[in-house]
Amino acid sequence: LWVGPGGRRVLIGRNADSNRRLCFQVAKGTDVWLHLRDRPSAHVIIPVQRGHSAPLEHLLAGAQLLLADARVAEGEAVDVQYAFAKNLR
């Protein structure tokens, strides 16, 4: 758990088991999932209430958490994938 801008929660999985639990047991359908493409990394869930969207500053903070957790070198190009949790398989 990380508290983002405005005191909103950002949830982080640290390994394969916690990533799976976070994505398929904790996340709700309207929550936003983030992950680094083609790289082992944490999964981030940004809780979002139905009818609302994730604030840009939370999406950016979630991406920064992923980059820091994966120890991506400064200046290295990495894609951040994101989707609604309801679309994860």
Side-chain angles (χ1 to χ4, degrees):
L1 172 68
W2 181 76
V3 179
R8 293 183 59 167
R9 297 179 314 139
V10 176
L11 308 171
I12 306 167
R14 295 291 184 186
N15 58 44
D17 288 336
S18 66
N19 284 341
R20 196 171 10 267
R21 191 175 328 107
L22 184 63
C23 292
F24 299 112
Q25 295 175 351
V26 175
K28 295 182 176 130
T30 57
D31 295 347
V32 176
W33 164 86
L34 294 96
H35 184 264
L36 297 182
R37 181 187 305 267
D38 298 329
R39 254 185 118 117
S41 72
H43 290 206
V44 168
I45 296 289
I46 300 173
V48 179
Q49 292 181 0
R50 178 169 283 172
H52 292 84
S53 57
L56 178 60
E57 61 264 16
H58 280 87
L59 295 172
L60 295 173
Q64 289 175 330
L65 288 170
L66 287 173
L67 296 172
D69 184 70
R71 294 186 174 100
V72 174
E74 187 174 334
E76 183 180 351
V78 178
D79 290 332
V80 176
Q81 298 175 302
Y82 64 97
F84 287 114
K86 65 184 174 187
N87 295 324
L88 298 177
R89 302 281 177 256

